[in-house]
């Protein structure tokens, strides 16, 4: 038997032929797009189906997980083919009638399911989808958030314009509570751009990639003259709209321009297409005593250079203001006591010559300040842990008044030699600590971080906005376990009394006991923070109502996206602190759309404890007094 016949029949013992099963081979729409009122064809191709067999076709939305039937039509097979005329909107063009099928976007993709009852065959989904919608533009997606300038926001859209009726289109971005107005007031438009005809092809998906730069003509987001201005979280969320015109190339010239339709919210209500720019956190780090672009030059600004070098080398000299006052003089003297004249002798067996501790930064002292042969002092035990709230860090006060080498002082006498002794001897009484130590001025910078699309932080100074940063110094509980547990132990009693001195409370040492904590409770919040313009380019201000010191991070300033303040702890050993920085939106008109959870925009440093760091020399007398040996 020929192979062709074997494919179609099989021989039985009663000479009977049985045909292969019937099936639906293909279902598709032609054409693939329809506007309200248009008629398309649903075409069904079959195999081994007799003529006049009825085919039932159900039309469903492609994105409907429940496969609810929107329309049902029927037709008859003829020559293994069936063509059914189909009007998706049944001739209705009224928007209210279309929405049950199209949803708020007024556009949907339909699929067809075909079924023949006898013989029982079916086709689960058409080979192509029918695009059905009204003239206009739709968004397919807009990213939830992004970090302007660091990332680009992706806006995916498509136009419904089969007959090329649209002459012009423009993208708009509106800001919430901008210029005290909301969408769709024109003053709220912070960005707009024409969409060219080549990016409006019917049903083709396009993507706008936007850095977040603005075209606003006024307000905080006004377009920069020389540098771009970027959107920020303070006016978030932002609304995205595309308007189109059938009469003008620019919708701005058409009062009747039509906007894209909205989208369905979680409960089915119509909502705008929006995205967010969000604050992620605030990050603290050590700052510089002067901005990098203002580092003083010795020949031009000698006094500022001296103060700056002392600070960076770890000899606290206070703000770099060019005023060599008592604080700077103490720092100079501390530096002189700890360093030698340069250059050092090439022969290491020869002694070095100490600087004269006269508190005057003369030529020899300045030469050491600018050389590599000087002692750098470490303020913190571990700088990398300084802003980890789970860690503890030591803040050192270097007590070089205990050095015991010979050096001249102002009156020409020698100081700290073995005959004069030091504070462990009764033969000499040292000066007060206040005459030797400086409270350090430590520059602390708060960097405002923006949330990236993946939720991670990014520092984008141009996208922060004019946000207020509050600084506070907290007073962690004192650890008295390092002293004797005996309640009558004199040092323990003194520490307890110094910490609990009223009326201020707390446990750091109060002024009464040579500490730095204010006596008045109303001033305690700013005891350890400098107020004013001492840390350039920042200006810290006093907020007595909220008991904090604050700085405004200015996006147009010299250090945009940051706020800085001087932390001024005491030099009393045992005092401890914890720095806090937080963003403050209280007075912003858009505060309801900004983070309400303070912890999300607040950060704490490590627990910082003052430690006295000494270099000691031993003075030992060995043997009988008449045969003593002195060792230093």
């Amino acid at each position: 038997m020929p192979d062709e016949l074997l494919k179609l029949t099989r021989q039985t013992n009663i000479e009977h032929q049985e045909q292969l099963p019937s099936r639906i081979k293909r279902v598709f729409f032609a054409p693939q797009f329809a506007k309200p009122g248009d008629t398309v064809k649903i075409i069904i191709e079959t195999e081994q189906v007799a003529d006049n067999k009825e085919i039932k076709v159900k039309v469903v939305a492609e994105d409907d997980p429940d496969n609810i039937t929107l329309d049902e039509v029927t037709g008859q097979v003829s020559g293994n083919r069936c063509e059914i005329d189909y009007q998706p909107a049944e001739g209705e063009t009224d928007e209210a009638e279309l929405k049950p099928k199209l949803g708020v976007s007024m556009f949907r993709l339909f699929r067809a399911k075909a079924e023949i009852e006898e013989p029982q065959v079916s086709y689960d989904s058409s080979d192509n989808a029918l695009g059905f919608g009204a003239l206009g533009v739709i968004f397919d997606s807009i990213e939830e958030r992004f970090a302007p300038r660091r990332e680009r926001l992706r806006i995916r859209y498509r136009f419904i314009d089969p007959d090329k009726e649209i002459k012009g289109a423009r993208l708009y971005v509106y800001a919430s509570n901008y210029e005290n107005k909301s969408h769709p007031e024109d003053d709220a438009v912070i960005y707009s751009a024409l969409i060219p005809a080549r990016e409006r092809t019917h049903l083709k998906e396009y993507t706008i990639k936007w850095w977040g730069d603005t075209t606003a003509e006024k307000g905080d987001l006004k377009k920069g003259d020389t540098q771009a201005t970027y959107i920020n979280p303070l006016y978030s969320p932002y609304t995205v709209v595309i308007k189109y015109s059938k009469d003008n190339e620019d919708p701005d010239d058409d009062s009747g321009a039509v906007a894209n339709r909205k989208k369905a919210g979680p409960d089915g209500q119509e909502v705008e297409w929006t995205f967010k720019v969000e604050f992620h956190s605030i990050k603290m780090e050590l700052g510089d005593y002067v901005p990098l672009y203002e580092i003083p030059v010795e020949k031009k600004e000698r006094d500022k250079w001296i103060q700056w070098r002392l600070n960076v080398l770890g000899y606290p000299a206070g703000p770099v203001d060019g005023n060599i006052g008592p604080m700077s003089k103490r720092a100079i003297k501390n530096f002189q006591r700890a360093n030698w004249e340069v250059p050092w002798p090439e022969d290491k067996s020869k002694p070095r010559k100490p600087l004269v501790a006269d508190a005057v930064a003369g030529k020899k002292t300045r030469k050491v300040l600018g050389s590599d042969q000087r002692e750098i002092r470490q303020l913190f035990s571990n700088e990398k842990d300084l802003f980890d709230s789970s860690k503890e860090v030591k803040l050192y006060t270097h007590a070089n008044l205990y050095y015991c080498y010979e050096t001249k002082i102002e009156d020409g006498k020698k100081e700290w030699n073995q005959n004069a002794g030091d504070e462990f001897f009764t033969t000499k009484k040292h000066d007060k600590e206040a005459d030797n130590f400086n409270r350090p001025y430590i520059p602390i910078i708060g960097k405002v971080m923006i949330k990236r699309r993946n939720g991670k932080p990014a520092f984008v100074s141009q996208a922060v906005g004019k946000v207020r940063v509050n600084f506070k110094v907290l007073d962690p509980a004192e650890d008295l376990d390092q002293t004797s547990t005996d309640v009558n132990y004199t040092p323990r009693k003194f520490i307890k009394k110094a910490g609990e001195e009223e009326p201020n409370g707390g446990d750091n040492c109060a002024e009464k006991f040579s500490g730095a904590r204010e006596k008045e409770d109303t001033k305690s919040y700013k005891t350890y923070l400098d107020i004013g313009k001492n840390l350039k380019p920042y200006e810290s201000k006093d907020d007595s109502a909220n008991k904090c010191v604050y700085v405004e991070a200015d996006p147009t300033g010299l250090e945009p996206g940051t706020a800085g303040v001087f932390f001024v702890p005491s030099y009393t050993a045992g005092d401890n602190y914890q720095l806090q920085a937080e963003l403050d939106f209280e007075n912003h008109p858009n505060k309801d759309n900004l983070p309400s959870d303070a912890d999300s925009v607040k950060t704490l440093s490590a627990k910082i404890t003052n430690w006295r760091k000494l270099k000691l020399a031993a003075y030992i007398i060995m043997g009988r007094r008449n045969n003593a040996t002195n060792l230093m």
Side-chain angles (χ1 to χ4, degrees):
M1 182 179 294
D3 290 342
E4 293 78 11
L5 188 58
L6 285 172
K7 292 179 182 178
L8 299 174
T9 65
R10 65 181 176 84
Q11 190 72 29
T12 66
N13 58 356
I14 55 173
E15 301 296 326
H16 173 71
Q17 289 184 339
E18 181 181 336
Q19 290 187 329
L20 292 176
S22 302
R23 69 187 182 100
I24 298 174
K25 293 170 56 180
R26 186 183 177 200
V27 177
F28 60 96
F29 292 97
Q32 289 183 240
F33 180 79
K35 294 187 300 182
D38 289 351
T39 299
V40 300
K41 290 187 179 294
I42 303 175
I43 301 173
I44 304 101
E45 295 178 353
T46 65
E47 187 175 76
Q48 303 297 333
V49 176
D51 289 348
N52 300 321
K53 287 292 185 179
E54 184 177 80
I55 295 182
K56 184 187 297 181
V57 177
K58 295 180 179 179
V59 178
V60 299
E62 185 177 63
D63 60 349
D64 181 5
D66 298 324
N67 286 322
I68 297 174
T69 301
L70 297 174
D71 289 312
E72 189 172 304
V73 293
T74 59
Q76 290 185 332
V77 176
S78 177
N80 277 318
R81 183 180 176 89
C82 176
E83 295 186 5
I84 303 173
D85 289 336
Y86 172 56
Q87 271 194 327
E90 300 175 352
E92 297 288 346
T93 58
D94 180 77
E95 185 173 301
E97 297 292 330
L98 290 174
K99 277 189 178 179
K101 291 184 180 181
L102 296 183
V104 297
S105 71
M106 297 299 287
F107 176 80
R108 227 164 181 184
L109 294 172
F110 291 162
R111 291 282 182 177
K113 297 183 176 184
E115 183 182 66
I116 305 174
E117 291 185 358
E118 179 59 41
Q120 189 174 5
V121 292
S122 63
Y123 201 83
D124 186 61
S125 181
S126 55
D127 291 356
N128 64 6
L130 171 67
F132 176 49
L135 179 73
V137 58
I138 60 172
F139 288 117
D140 287 331
S141 66
I142 296 175
E143 289 176 312
E144 180 182 357
R145 74 172 72 88
F146 81 123
R149 196 174 187 269
R150 180 67 60 86
E151 302 172 318
R152 292 195 288 181
L153 179 73
R154 292 188 286 254
I155 304 169
R156 294 184 176 87
Y157 69 94
R158 70 179 86 184
F159 277 84
I160 311 301
D161 187 20
D163 300 321
K164 297 183 179 180
E165 300 176 63
I166 296 175
K167 286 190 176 181
R170 181 180 282 273
L171 171 74
Y172 300 86
V173 179
Y174 295 85
S176 298
N177 288 299
Y178 188 66
E179 292 291 294
N180 295 320
K181 294 185 178 181
S182 305
H183 168 69
E185 298 290 344
D186 288 339
D187 283 347
V189 178
I190 52 87
Y191 180 80
S192 73
L194 285 169
I195 301 175
R198 65 178 179 275
E199 295 175 8
R200 302 199 310 261
T201 303
H202 171 63
L203 270 189
K204 184 176 180 180
E205 185 181 81
Y206 293 94
T207 302
I208 294 172
K209 297 179 180 179
W210 177 48
W211 287 107
D213 52 304
T214 71
T215 61
E217 297 181 355
K218 56 184 174 179
D220 293 345
L221 298 178
K222 179 181 177 181
K223 182 180 179 181
D225 295 329
T226 57
Q227 294 183 338
T229 302
Y230 294 87
I231 61 176
N232 62 61
L234 295 174
Y235 299 103
S236 191
Y238 293 88
T239 301
V240 183
V241 173
I242 291 179
K243 289 183 180 179
Y244 65 90
S245 172
K246 295 197 295 183
D247 301 318
N248 293 278
E249 292 183 355
D250 190 343
D252 278 350
D253 300 328
D254 181 4
S255 60
V258 181
N260 62 277
R261 294 178 176 85
K262 300 180 181 182
K263 66 175 181 177
D267 57 357
Q269 82 280 18
E270 294 182 30
V271 296
E272 302 271 17
W273 284 90
T274 62
F275 67 90
K276 295 179 181 179
V277 179
E278 297 179 293
F279 290 113
H280 180 278
S281 56
I282 181 166
K283 177 183 178 183
M284 283 193 290
E285 58 186 39
L286 284 173
D288 299 308
Y289 288 91
V290 296
L292 295 178
Y293 46 81
E294 284 192 8
I295 291 179
V297 178
E298 181 185 2
K299 291 182 179 180
K300 294 181 179 180
E301 298 178 293
R302 178 179 294 177
D303 289 345
K304 283 188 176 181
W305 179 84
I306 291 168
Q307 291 172 319
W308 170 69
R309 287 295 293 169
L310 287 167
N311 278 315
V312 298
L313 293 175
Y315 299 83
V320 180
D321 56 10
N323 177 25
I324 303 295
M327 189 170 189
S328 295
K329 289 180 179 180
R330 284 194 293 271
I332 294 169
K333 195 171 184 180
N334 285 335
F335 179 81
Q336 291 169 331
R337 283 172 168 164
N339 286 274
W340 312 86
E341 289 185 10
V342 294
W344 296 345
E346 292 185 10
D347 185 349
K348 294 183 179 180
S349 65
K350 291 185 177 182
R352 299 173 188 171
K353 188 176 181 180
L355 288 170
V356 176
D358 59 4
V360 176
K363 186 176 180 180
K364 291 181 179 179
T365 298
R366 294 197 307 274
K367 192 173 182 180
V368 181
L369 276 170
S371 78
D372 291 331
Q373 293 180 331
R374 71 282 186 272
E375 178 183 311
I376 298 178
R377 287 183 166 175
Q378 186 180 356
L379 281 181
F380 294 100
S381 59
N382 192 345
E383 284 188 6
K384 97 179 154 64
D385 290 339
L386 183 56
F387 298 105
D388 183 341
S389 61
S390 66
K391 300 294 179 63
E392 296 189 11
V393 172
K394 297 175 183 177
L395 170 61
Y396 293 129
T397 297
H398 293 260
N400 54 8
L401 73 160
Y402 301 129
Y403 278 56
C404 290
Y405 55 75
E406 289 188 358
T407 180
K408 293 181 180 179
I409 56 174
E410 295 91 333
D411 57 7
K413 295 180 180 179
K414 292 183 178 181
E415 186 181 44
W416 316 137
N417 59 36
Q418 61 181 357
N419 294 319
D422 59 23
E423 74 171 0
F424 297 107
F425 288 80
T426 59
T427 57
K428 180 171 177 61
K429 183 178 180 181
H430 278 287
D431 296 331
K432 296 178 181 178
E433 288 187 339
D435 295 331
N436 292 281
F437 296 150
N438 282 330
R439 291 178 63 188
Y441 277 62
I442 302 169
I444 302 295
I445 303 299
K447 297 175 73 171
V448 184
M449 311 299 284
I450 302 297
K451 191 178 291 187
R452 302 187 65 150
R453 64 166 58 97
N454 61 8
K456 294 183 178 180
F459 178 61
V460 191
S461 60
Q462 297 87 345
V464 168
K466 195 171 185 178
V467 60
R468 171 172 155 162
V469 181
N470 294 338
F471 290 95
K472 296 180 181 179
V473 175
L474 310 180
D475 185 2
E478 199 78 74
D479 182 9
L480 296 180
D481 291 339
Q482 298 181 47
T483 64
S484 171
T485 56
D486 183 358
V487 293
N488 294 317
Y489 183 58
T490 301
R492 184 180 181 90
K493 289 167 65 176
F494 175 82
I495 292 172
K496 191 171 186 297
K497 186 174 181 58
E500 294 178 349
E501 178 67 14
E502 297 296 340
N504 197 18
D507 57 26
N508 281 336
C509 190
E511 282 183 323
K512 182 177 180 180
F513 296 90
S514 301
R517 182 160 51 89
E518 293 280 354
K519 294 179 181 178
E520 298 180 33
D521 183 52
T522 54
K523 296 180 180 179
S524 61
Y525 69 93
K526 59 183 179 181
T527 300
Y528 304 106
L529 296 171
D530 180 65
I531 297 175
K533 299 181 180 180
N534 287 323
L535 183 61
K536 293 183 177 181
Y538 310 105
E539 180 179 4
S540 55
K541 299 178 182 179
D542 178 9
D543 182 353
S544 57
N546 293 298
K547 293 189 176 182
C548 68
V549 173
Y550 71 94
V551 179
E552 290 185 340
D554 187 351
T556 61
L558 295 173
E559 297 289 348
T562 64
V565 67
F566 268 131
F567 168 46
V568 191
S570 76
Y571 46 70
T572 303
D575 275 1
N576 55 9
Y577 329 87
Q578 198 166 23
L579 292 163
Q580 175 182 292
E582 64 178 342
L583 301 183
D584 185 345
F585 314 115
E586 182 59 33
N587 295 317
H588 198 277
N590 197 33
K591 68 177 182 179
D592 290 342
N593 288 315
L594 295 170
S596 57
D597 178 10
D599 290 337
S600 66
V601 286
K602 180 190 298 183
T603 187
L604 289 170
S605 72
K607 180 181 176 182
I608 303 168
T609 303
N610 284 3
W611 279 67
R612 189 65 53 82
K613 195 166 188 178
L614 315 176
K615 284 190 175 181
L616 296 176
Y619 179 55
I620 305 173
I621 299 176
M622 299 180 66
R624 296 192 304 273
R625 185 171 293 277
N626 62 354
N627 189 24
T629 301
N630 295 342
L631 298 177
M632 284 296 295

